[in-house]
Amino acid sequence: MKHKLLIAVIIIIFLAGVIGSVLVLLSPTKSHVRVLSDGKEVYAADLMQAQDTVFDVAYQGHVNTVEIQDHRIRVRAADCPDNTCVHMGWLSSASMPIVCLPHRLVIEFTDDTRSVDAVTR
Amino acid sequence: MSERVRKLTLLGVLTAVSLIIFVIELQIPNPFPIPGIKPGLANIITVYAVYHFEAWEVASMVAVRLVLGAVFSGNFMALIYSASGAVLCLIGMLALRRLIDERHLWIASVFGAVLHNTGQMAAALLVTGTTQLLLYYPFLIVSGCLSGAFTGLCAQLVTARLKRRKK
């Protein structure tokens, strides 16, 4: 009986996780992106207008190479041990940013158009 | 005295085995490119140890595994996340082992895995200060349930085998 109750708790946790994951995956993409390094914005752009480019983001001597191509953005290379950010591929979900934990790098979609203006001006 | 030596030896061997599993797992490419998601096969040993050793013995075994694991993988940043995950996981599982008998070990293992992911997430939030990370949490929970059940079942098999050997 005790075990059945605990199994029920597990099933509820699992289903909540599945539902949450689906919600995160279903959220649509946006066109504005920004790159955060250690919480500070270092790059922002409108992907629909952005030219193809490659640039480095450095943090404490470590480098992530960010690439924009065909209106998509990804981490092309990184010198972190696990390279999870590189394997995540192109940024595809508004609610799932690309993150490089060792280098405190975040690439995410954003609604904020103000910061984009600041860069394009 | 000989009982103490026996226990110490067993703990040493278990630590070594879990380290070997950990290192082998490092070589397996991860199909889910989300920070924090991996099978955690080394925890088969942790789960087994939780049910066969004292709390402080399990804790010191896991501590040694974590530090040496960081040395072998060269990923010391990950140590913060895995250590806070392990602390929460151990507290939860050591509490649950009173509630759950050994035949339902996998249940405790699932809770342990989910707690591990929770600890990891909390540490990552504190260290990076990026709330966007929370969006990974549902994925971590799903993977935690699956890998927790798997490692728990493996630990159950190990326990059954070891019992048969002893007879």
Side-chain angles (χ1 to χ4, degrees):
Chain A
M1 184 58 213
K2 207 165 54 190
H3 290 130
K4 275 188 186 147
L5 196 74
L6 288 167
I7 293 175
V9 173
I10 290 175
I11 292 171
I12 290 168
I13 293 174
F14 182 71
L15 287 180
V18 169
I19 292 167
S21 306
V22 169
L23 286 179
V24 167
L25 284 177
L26 284 182
S27 59
T29 61
K30 298 168 184 168
S31 74
H32 294 287
V33 291
R34 61 176 180 172
V35 179
L36 303 175
S37 178
D38 199 17
K40 286 186 285 289
E41 186 174 297
V42 292
Y43 179 85
D46 182 346
L47 278 186
M48 284 304 116
Q49 293 160 11
Q51 300 292 314
D52 291 359
T53 176
V54 174
F55 58 91
D56 288 345
V57 179
Y59 173 76
Q60 288 184 355
H62 296 289
V63 177
N64 293 72
T65 307
V66 179
E67 178 179 32
I68 295 180
Q69 193 186 55
D70 301 332
H71 312 300
R72 297 178 301 171
I73 188 165
R74 68 164 175 170
V75 178
R76 191 169 77 174
D79 55 4
C80 52
D82 56 3
N83 264 314
T84 300
C85 51
V86 179
H87 296 310
M88 287 189 73
W90 302 100
L91 184 62
S92 61
S93 165
S95 43
M96 201 163 81
I98 296 175
V99 177
C100 178
L101 279 182
H103 300 172
R104 306 202 183 165
L105 179 91
V106 178
I107 302 177
E108 60 172 0
F109 285 112
T110 167
D111 294 318
D112 194 3
T113 50
R114 181 178 41 82
S115 53
V116 174
D117 291 343
V119 169
T120 46
R121 252 171 222 157
Chain B
M1 184 60 196
S2 72
E3 178 61 20
R4 276 184 66 195
V5 173
R6 203 186 72 91
K7 234 178 182 183
L8 193 64
T9 318
L10 245 174
L11 274 171
V13 170
L14 284 178
T15 313
V17 171
S18 70
L19 255 176
I20 293 167
I21 299 175
F22 177 83
V23 170
I24 292 173
E25 192 187 287
L26 278 180
Q27 305 304 319
I28 305 172
N30 192 341
F32 306 104
I34 290 178
I37 288 191
K38 58 182 210 152
L41 296 177
N43 289 316
I44 296 171
I45 306 298
T46 316
V47 178
Y48 172 82
V50 163
Y51 273 80
H52 292 90
F53 291 95
E54 301 295 324
W56 66 271
E57 291 169 335
V58 185
S60 38
M61 193 195 100
V62 170
V64 171
R65 219 258 334 279
L66 287 176
V67 173
L68 287 181
V71 171
F72 289 153
S73 66
N75 197 346
F76 274 91
M77 270 309 281
L79 186 60
I80 304 173
Y81 310 122
S82 49
S84 31
V87 169
L88 212 60
C89 165
L90 279 181
I91 293 173
M93 287 204 23
L94 289 169
L96 279 173
R97 89 177 158 177
R98 286 153 210 249
L99 279 177
I100 302 169
D101 63 51
E102 218 184 314
R103 265 189 243 144
H104 297 80
L105 216 156
W106 69 273
I107 302 177
S109 173
V110 170
F111 280 106
V114 171
L115 281 171
H116 184 104
N117 288 139
T118 308
Q120 262 180 333
M121 178 51 73
L125 282 176
L126 281 176
V127 169
T128 64
T130 31
T131 41
Q132 293 92 331
L133 281 178
L134 266 181
L135 296 158
Y136 289 141
Y137 194 47
F139 298 97
L140 287 184
I141 288 180
V142 172
S143 90
C145 286
L146 297 178
S147 62
F150 181 73
T151 52
L153 286 173
C154 287
Q156 265 175 266
L157 286 177
V158 170
T159 314
R161 293 274 163 102
L162 282 178
K163 269 198 188 129
R164 228 182 296 155
R165 287 281 318 249
K166 269 178 197 163
K167 272 171 195 167

